[in-house]
Amino acid sequence: MDKIERKKKFAEMVVSLPSFVWLAVFFAAPTLIVLSFTFHDHTANGGVAAAWSLATWRDLVNPDYPTIVWRTIRISLEVTAWCILLSLPCAYAIARLPKNIRAMVAGLIMLPFWTSFVVRVFAWKTMLHPDGFLQRCYYIFLDIRTWLFDWLPGFLQSFLCWLGLATPGAADPASATILDSELAVVLVSVYTFLPFAIMPIYTAAEKFDFALMEAARDLGAKGFYAFRKIFIPGVRQGIVSAILMVFIPAIGSYVIPQMLGGTNCVLIGNKIFMRAIQNRNIPHASALATVMALSVLVPIGAWVWWKSRQNAKDKKRLEEATRESILMGGAS
Amino acid sequence: MANDFLVFDRVTKRYGALTAVNDVSFTVNKGEFFSLLGPSGCGKTTLLRMLGGFERPDAGRIYLNGEDITDMPPNKRRVHTVFQNYALFPTMTIRDNIAFSLKLAKKPKAEIDENVEAMLEMIQLSEHAWKYPNQLSGGQKQRVAIARALVDRPQVLLLDEPLAALDLKLRQHMLLELDTIHDQVGITFLYVTHDQGEAMSLSDRIAVINKGKVEQLDQPAKIYEAPVSSFVAAFIGDTNFFEGVIESTDGDYCTIQVPGFGAIRAYNDKNLAATQKVHLSVRPEKIRVTSVPPPPEKGASINVFQAKVTDVVYQGVYTKYWVRCGDRSISSMKPHSRFLLDQEKITWNDRVYIWWHPDDAYMIENFSELDESLIQTPPTPPEDE
Ligand SMILES: Nc1ncnc2c1ncn2[C@@H]1O[C@H](COP(=O)(O)OP(=O)(O)OP(=O)(O)O)[C@@H](O)[C@H]1O
Ligand SMILES: [Mg+2]
């Protein structure tokens, strides 16, 4: 028995060794190297000094950084929220399709990946150009908004301004361009990451038992209520994966803000690039990368810890209840 | 019609070329335990789904409490379903599952708690209220599903083969429990099953359904004792069919000549005249099998035939005999009243007498040869020497 156990353990180790080595060499080691860079100063010719030093961390005190970190997190959260919001009904609709069409539609969602990501971002750049189609539509939208606003009674106008939903007077074309603004970054990020949100939610939705929706309707729930209270909790595993799949790359996003955000939407990814390549300050870039990684890992780690504690509690409760019922003679 | 509680009025439902429910009309009384009984695929679930609001009939109307509910969305109907696979919400505790409909109706919290506690008590699961559905046994899930559907007192409770997933012992137990619950709450139950035993033991009335049509609607005893068609006779319980021509009538009785078998005396409840064709159904338990002729005090008018035993199947409660008589195979069922091992045994190839009283045969109005396939056949093909 013991021997078999040991053999099993050994077999498990042998099987998992390659992936372990892979992770150690290509994930853990680089992370640690980056971390160690932050405790060295940089040299004038772009290298890393040999001596240990806290100079890099001292240099990190830069009034711009909190703004940029906060902007990165805020935009990532916005993008994540939009992606989840859009992919929930989408995944629901696909999962309800007849089985033979379902796989095809799910495949269509992956279709954009057949085109290079950079090419697609360039396409967006064209569409968002002041003479581009989307920008023209946006101008018309703004005109209509201004017209509607002027038409409103005065107290409603000031109320909307107070809420920050409107500004008096016609929008000036300069601040109404989408390109080189936060709006462009959010828009194209949502476009880019949406498939990563739809896929895990769709996978969960495919396993979801739609008879439960019928049961909810049967008990008096309207369609949307059933969607909210039964479908969304039912696919929460998929939603969690989707959040991670969107939020983590969004935090590290670099190409989209670089090409579409201009100077108005610099994110931490762009700053890291700037420090590493333009300023040739590898330790500084490493420190920024570490800050960025921690800003994602800490909340996620806290959540995982809280969740596992919750699960352990539930399990203990169930075990106690089972023991009790066995002691009581296994009634009911 | 408006005064009746639940009315199906000439309801038809088609799926493509297939007519799942064909011009069905029946009325359910308030507080009744009403069963829809029929073989797989006969349209029972389709009927329930139309009442629940999940399918629209192609023709006909459904009325509940005088109101036409045919086009009402499911959430507006005061009709709840106990689904065959329970459909409990896996992300909610038992308590939240049961409270679902009350929370939807925005009832005050005190009222919700009170009602949910009462339900939990009724299904004896108060101690498990905080558990999740996947932590319960099949029978417990079943009870939660019933409580969830009953808690806001619907006008009708629909049960779609609720016991099908349970094992035999649990099924028998839940059967009694369902009966008790029905008595307690006084709500109309519409029960779907293909198990005649379930339907017989629970229902006030049964609608036997075949190929999308109501074949017979009556009390359980009537359905069993006076089946209108060969389908009902063969589907509910087991039977022997005899086809013949009336030779003569005398008062309430008649003599029927059955080709390949002999002359049978039967009660002439349909008042048929001589030379008319007739189909008889004789239940196996009405036919006695003995190794000696029936005692003379049974009267001269009973039907007695000589036969040879081809098979004996011991079933604990009773023994089933298959006998060969003329060119027919006839089944008979004998309950074990005395200690079986003391009795003189009847075994294969024994020469026996089979006999039954003329009152024990029943004339079938609608006969279809197809239904003969529903009758049990001997476990082994009878050997002809
Ligand atoms: N959505 C559907 N599309 C096409 N045909 C259907 C559909 N639902 C049911 N049917 C057909 O309608 C007929 C009746 O089905 P129904 O589910 O009502 O049977 P049932 O009496 O409940 O049978 P069971 O005892 O097996 O549950 C069947 O032949 C079935 O194949
Ligand atoms: Mg069914």
Side-chain angles (χ1 to χ4, degrees):
Chain A
M1 194 68 185
D2 213 28
K3 207 171 160 192
I4 294 169
E5 284 290 302
R6 234 180 301 146
K7 259 196 172 160
K8 243 189 184 164
K9 271 260 160 63
F10 181 72
E12 268 171 27
M13 260 164 61
V14 170
V15 170
S16 56
L17 199 64
S19 45
F20 180 77
V21 170
W22 175 274
L23 275 178
V25 173
F26 295 108
F27 179 74
T31 308
L32 288 175
I33 292 169
V34 167
L35 189 62
S36 77
F37 280 169
T38 68
F39 295 103
H40 295 275
D41 206 350
H42 68 290
T43 60
N45 57 4
V48 179
W52 295 93
S53 142
L54 283 176
T56 304
W57 284 103
R58 268 199 298 275
D59 284 349
L60 218 57
V61 187
N62 176 326
D64 280 353
Y65 286 168
T67 328
I68 292 176
V69 168
W70 170 235
R71 183 190 293 141
T72 309
I73 292 177
R74 182 168 51 79
I75 287 184
S76 303
L77 287 175
E78 259 173 51
V79 169
T80 311
W82 278 112
C83 282
I84 301 296
L85 219 62
L86 291 172
S87 46
L88 276 170
C90 205
Y92 179 88
I94 301 174
R96 297 232 81 169
L97 287 174
K99 210 168 180 140
N100 44 344
I101 312 178
R102 225 187 282 159
M104 200 188 71
V105 174
L108 284 181
I109 287 181
M110 298 318 247
L111 201 63
F113 294 109
W114 288 83
T115 313
S116 150
F117 169 55
V118 179
V119 170
R120 281 182 287 137
V121 176
F122 264 112
W124 273 101
K125 218 175 152 88
T126 319
M127 284 196 289
L128 296 176
H129 187 272
D131 292 330
F133 173 71
L134 285 179
Q135 180 66 64
R136 276 155 185 274
C137 293
Y138 189 57
Y139 282 141
I140 294 169
F141 163 74
L142 287 180
D143 283 345
I144 292 172
R145 207 180 62 169
T146 311
W147 179 79
L148 279 177
F149 182 81
D150 290 342
W151 181 76
L152 284 175
F155 75 94
L156 266 178
Q157 287 184 351
S158 35
F159 181 67
L160 285 176
C161 290
W162 178 74
L163 281 177
L165 289 175
T167 40
D172 76 295
S175 72
T177 48
I178 308 178
L179 201 62
D180 294 343
S181 77
E182 214 177 287
L183 181 60
V185 175
V186 173
L187 185 68
V188 177
S189 299
V190 169
Y191 156 79
T192 307
F193 296 129
L194 197 56
F196 296 108
I198 295 178
M199 272 308 166
I201 297 181
Y202 162 66
T203 310
E206 212 185 11
K207 290 193 214 96
F208 179 77
D209 177 10
F210 282 96
L212 296 176
M213 300 291 279
E214 236 168 49
R217 303 261 294 145
D218 184 74
L219 290 166
K222 288 212 183 75
F224 185 62
Y225 185 93
F227 182 82
R228 230 163 20 101
K229 293 279 176 171
I230 308 298
F231 179 73
I232 292 184
V235 296
R236 64 186 192 284
Q237 297 297 342
I239 296 177
V240 169
S241 316
I243 289 175
L244 296 180
M245 293 284 279
V246 174
F247 186 72
I248 291 174
I251 280 275
S253 180
Y254 152 73
V255 175
I256 296 169
Q258 188 76 21
M259 289 174 66
L260 300 165
T263 50
N264 301 313
C265 191
V266 173
L267 300 188
I268 200 159
N270 309 103
K271 265 290 180 245
I272 293 172
F273 171 80
M274 206 187 291
R275 293 288 175 260
I277 308 297
Q278 286 170 3
N279 304 5
R280 314 224 309 151
N281 189 340
I282 298 289
H284 197 104
S286 303
L288 276 179
T290 307
V291 167
M292 189 180 88
L294 285 179
S295 68
V296 182
L297 284 178
V298 168
I300 291 176
W303 183 73
V304 168
W305 175 78
W306 181 79
K307 194 80 200 160
S308 68
R309 236 181 59 139
Q310 212 70 4
N311 283 351
K313 255 191 206 160
D314 279 358
K315 208 173 153 196
K316 210 168 141 201
R317 195 169 170 195
L318 187 65
E319 263 166 20
E320 264 166 26
T322 317
R323 200 172 318 124
E324 249 167 51
S325 74
I326 289 170
L327 285 180
M328 276 161 46
S332 77
Chain B
M1 179 167 295
N3 303 333
D4 293 322
F5 183 63
L6 171 62
V7 181
F8 279 78
D9 183 23
R10 314 205 59 176
V11 173
T12 297
K13 175 77 194 173
R14 293 185 203 92
Y15 293 111
L18 180 118
T19 308
V21 171
N22 190 357
D23 198 21
V24 164
S25 303
F26 61 87
T27 302
V28 180
N29 301 323
K30 193 167 182 163
E32 200 171 22
F33 199 122
F34 191 95
S35 288
L36 300 174
L37 173 62
S40 186
C42 70
K44 306 176 299 276
T45 300
T46 309
L47 273 169
L48 269 206
R49 289 177 60 80
M50 286 192 286
L51 181 51
F54 299 110
E55 305 281 357
R56 272 217 48 198
D58 293 311
R61 313 302 294 173
I62 302 170
Y63 302 90
L64 179 60
N65 235 348
E67 191 183 357
D68 185 345
I69 60 164
T70 319
D71 301 317
M72 214 183 246
N75 50 318
K76 289 275 188 335
R77 306 182 181 203
R78 301 263 338 265
V79 164
H80 292 341
T81 310
V82 175
F83 294 89
Q84 185 172 331
N85 59 355
Y86 319 130
L88 297 179
F89 305 130
T91 51
M92 294 183 193
T93 60
I94 303 313
R95 173 172 277 116
D96 290 340
N97 260 285
I98 297 177
F100 189 82
S101 58
L102 296 175
K103 280 185 183 161
L104 255 170
K106 302 231 162 56
K107 290 268 160 54
K109 192 168 178 318
E111 191 187 327
I112 295 180
D113 287 347
E114 190 189 323
N115 280 320
V116 171
E117 283 312 321
M119 275 295 150
L120 281 166
E121 204 141 299
M122 184 182 85
I123 59 168
Q124 298 160 28
L125 285 178
S126 301
E127 265 127 65
H128 303 262
W130 50 270
K131 282 191 183 175
Y132 287 89
N134 64 2
Q135 297 166 336
L136 296 184
S137 71
Q140 290 171 332
K141 280 186 203 163
Q142 180 62 73
R143 299 211 288 266
V144 175
I146 292 169
R148 182 179 71 175
L150 279 175
V151 71
D152 75 335
R153 313 216 126 244
Q155 293 184 318
V156 187
L157 184 73
L158 312 182
L159 302 108
D160 191 357
E161 312 213 11
L163 309 182
L166 306 179
D167 62 60
L168 182 66
K169 274 278 165 231
L170 200 51
R171 202 152 64 218
Q172 290 168 343
H173 177 75
M174 283 304 298
L175 218 55
L176 294 176
E177 215 153 300
L178 264 178
D179 206 15
T180 319
I181 290 172
H182 177 247
D183 289 346
Q184 275 178 20
V185 296
I187 287 170
T188 311
F189 278 34
L190 190 57
Y191 189 93
V192 160
T193 182
H194 62 247
D195 184 312
Q196 34 129 344
E198 278 175 25
M200 291 288 211
S201 54
L202 289 171
S203 321
D204 297 317
R205 288 191 304 154
I206 299 174
V208 182
I209 301 184
N210 185 26
K211 297 191 190 119
K213 276 192 163 301
V214 175
E215 194 99 10
Q216 186 170 7
L217 195 164
D218 220 322
Q219 292 155 2
K222 281 275 189 55
I223 289 205
Y224 189 77
E225 300 290 348
V228 295
S229 68
S230 54
F231 171 78
V232 177
F235 183 69
I236 316 248
D238 198 15
T239 195
N240 298 285
F241 286 128
F242 298 95
E243 182 187 345
V245 177
I246 298 189
E247 202 175 57
S248 63
T249 59
D250 55 300
D252 288 341
Y253 293 90
C254 61
T255 306
I256 301 155
Q257 197 53 245
V258 179
F261 186 75
I264 297 178
R265 264 177 72 77
Y267 181 65
N268 189 359
D269 66 311
K270 303 281 188 300
N271 280 321
L272 300 179
T275 74
Q276 273 187 290
K277 246 179 115 175
V278 69
H279 293 278
L280 281 183
S281 152
V282 186
R283 299 274 185 202
E285 72 272 16
K286 304 276 169 68
I287 300 179
R288 304 286 307 271
V289 175
T290 48
S291 42
V292 290
E297 67 263 25
K298 291 281 174 191
S301 65
I302 65 167
N303 298 294
V304 185
F305 299 93
Q306 287 201 324
K308 198 176 87 174
V309 178
T310 54
D311 224 313
V312 182
V313 183
Y314 175 68
Q315 299 264 347
V317 187
Y318 60 86
T319 298
K320 186 143 196 172
Y321 298 96
W322 292 97
V323 300
R324 197 85 194 152
C325 183
D327 56 6
R328 285 167 173 270
S329 193
I330 289 173
S331 67
S332 156
M333 227 149 79
K334 186 181 188 182
H336 302 144
S337 43
R338 248 159 290 141
F339 188 53
L340 182 75
L341 299 181
D342 290 348
Q343 284 180 6
E344 194 196 336
K345 254 189 158 163
I346 296 173
T347 57
W348 291 268
N349 288 332
D350 280 2
R351 300 270 160 200
V352 289
Y353 295 89
I354 58 170
W355 43 282
W356 69 89
H357 194 271
D359 286 344
D360 286 337
Y362 190 78
M363 289 180 179
I364 306 273
E365 268 173 79
N366 307 313
F367 186 85
S368 155
E369 308 250 312
L370 285 176
D371 297 324
E372 278 181 295
S373 64
L374 290 168
I375 302 178
Q376 282 185 28
T377 44
T380 50
E383 60 221 87
D384 290 318
E385 324 134 288

